[in-house]
Amino acid sequence: MNKKAFLSLCIAILIPVLCYMVLKTASESAVNMPRHFLLDSVVESVKDGKRINDTVWHKTANITLINQLGDTVSLYDKPGKITVIDFFFTRCGSICPRLTRNMAKLQRSFINGGDIRQKIDTSVVQFVSFSIDADRDSVPVLKDYADRFGVNHDNWWMLTGNQKKISKFAFEELKVDQFSGTPIDSDFVHTNRFVVLDKDYIVRGYYNGLDSLAVGQLARDIGLLMLEKDKHAKSAVFAEIISLKWMWAIVITAVVFFVVYMLKRQKING
């Protein structure tokens, strides 16, 4: 095979691969994904002679409390969902009712399209509201409060339990006092912030729950996080291509046929 024929063969094989890589890179960089916030550590390793820095983001620890239905539930009970968290107490006369109303609007925004019964899709997001007044916010009180705001209990928990446990979770796991323009009392987590966790329970956003624009951005970010791919997972596209054995048989046959054809042509032309 002469150089020209060999070059043509290489180009024919490489062009589809290069096009795929360009499209893949462009699609990944076209959307600004919600950032990560809480850094745990940076792990250095060497792979193929190259030094690689792997960022380890803080994974929110599990917590177990009691919800408005009297059930004992844990944060990790709903895997594969985006989690939206806030803190409130039922006797609050300032920001809490507004936060709950905005959370309720978020929940209703996931109503299944075309469902005449207005049924909410509970498979995407888990809403979690932590009471910061456990002494007064008993299970019946939380249930009454939830019903007043039209809460769907299937994917919105209003939790009560040990006050120190909840406060520790807020400050040590969610870091609600960080990236905040106003100080937050360590003994009373009274904040207007909505905290968003991705499917791996990693903090991906703090939003002003009283600001309609911020809540709108939160809703959009939920959609992005649901579509986010695991960077450590193998490419599904390549896996599908490799699994198509019949296609590879055709490609190999075509390449062999091309090579044989070019060799015969070269022999005929002397």
Side-chain angles (χ1 to χ4, degrees):
M1 183 186 302
N2 57 36
K3 293 182 178 178
K4 186 176 181 180
F6 179 75
L7 182 61
S8 299
L9 178 60
C10 290
I11 292 174
I13 295 174
L14 288 175
I15 283 178
V17 176
L18 291 174
C19 288
Y20 168 79
M21 296 304 295
V22 170
L23 289 173
K24 183 174 184 293
T25 303
S27 63
E28 290 179 347
S29 61
V31 178
N32 292 322
M33 297 298 296
R35 58 171 285 197
H36 294 76
F37 280 83
L38 307 180
L39 175 66
D40 263 353
S41 62
V42 177
V43 178
E44 291 188 358
S45 60
V46 178
K47 185 177 181 180
D48 298 329
K50 296 182 180 180
R51 187 175 297 277
I52 300 174
N53 293 328
D54 190 12
T55 303
V56 179
W57 299 102
H58 178 70
K59 180 177 178 178
T60 305
N62 199 9
I63 185 171
T64 301
L65 294 165
I66 300 174
N67 70 8
Q68 70 270 28
L69 301 179
D71 300 325
T72 299
V73 296
S74 300
L75 182 66
Y76 288 7
D77 285 351
K78 301 291 185 177
K81 297 171 72 172
I82 307 303
T83 308
V84 182
I85 295 171
D86 75 336
F87 296 86
F88 80 112
F89 61 107
T90 60
R91 291 172 178 257
C92 174
S94 56
I95 65 173
C96 299
R98 293 172 60 193
L99 290 174
T100 304
R101 277 194 291 270
N102 284 341
M103 190 84 90
K105 289 179 182 177
L106 266 177
Q107 188 183 48
R108 288 193 293 272
S109 70
F110 288 92
I111 290 176
N112 288 319
D115 190 339
I116 59 175
R117 295 171 300 174
Q118 298 291 289
K119 186 176 181 181
I120 292 175
D121 183 355
T122 61
S123 65
V124 178
V125 188
Q126 183 66 31
F127 299 96
V128 182
S129 296
F130 291 87
S131 169
I132 55 176
D133 187 10
D135 291 338
R136 295 182 178 88
D137 287 344
S138 62
V139 169
V141 171
L142 289 178
K143 175 65 164 54
D144 179 68
Y145 183 85
D147 290 341
R148 265 194 287 143
F149 287 92
V151 168
N152 184 321
H153 306 295
D154 292 337
N155 72 328
W156 187 349
W157 294 334
M158 293 189 166
L159 303 179
T160 187
N162 184 278
Q163 200 63 66
K164 291 184 178 179
K165 184 178 181 180
I166 293 174
S167 181
K168 182 178 180 181
F169 178 81
F171 287 98
E172 294 186 7
E173 296 298 328
L174 301 180
K175 309 287 186 184
V176 293
D177 57 330
Q178 293 191 19
F179 314 101
S180 175
T182 57
I184 300 174
D185 188 348
S186 59
D187 295 322
F188 196 66
V189 197
H190 200 212
T191 172
N192 62 12
R193 311 185 90 182
F194 286 167
V195 184
V196 172
L197 308 182
D198 64 19
K199 290 178 282 188
D200 296 317
Y201 304 103
I202 296 172
V203 174
R204 300 299 293 274
Y206 299 96
Y207 305 81
N208 184 346
L210 304 177
D211 186 338
S212 59
L213 292 178
V215 174
Q217 183 62 52
L218 188 160
R220 289 188 289 272
D221 287 349
I222 287 173
L224 294 175
L225 291 173
M226 283 302 301
L227 297 174
E228 187 174 46
K229 297 179 181 178
D230 183 357
K231 293 183 179 180
H232 298 289
K234 294 182 179 180
S235 171
V237 176
F238 280 121
E240 290 177 4
I241 291 176
I242 293 174
S243 66
L244 297 176
K245 297 179 181 179
W246 61 269
M247 185 190 72
W248 284 109
I250 294 175
V251 171
I252 293 172
T253 301
V255 170
V256 171
F257 176 81
F258 179 81
V259 172
V260 171
Y261 170 78
M262 293 304 298
L263 288 174
K264 286 184 177 180
R265 184 175 178 181
Q266 186 178 21
K267 186 176 180 180
I268 291 173
N269 293 334

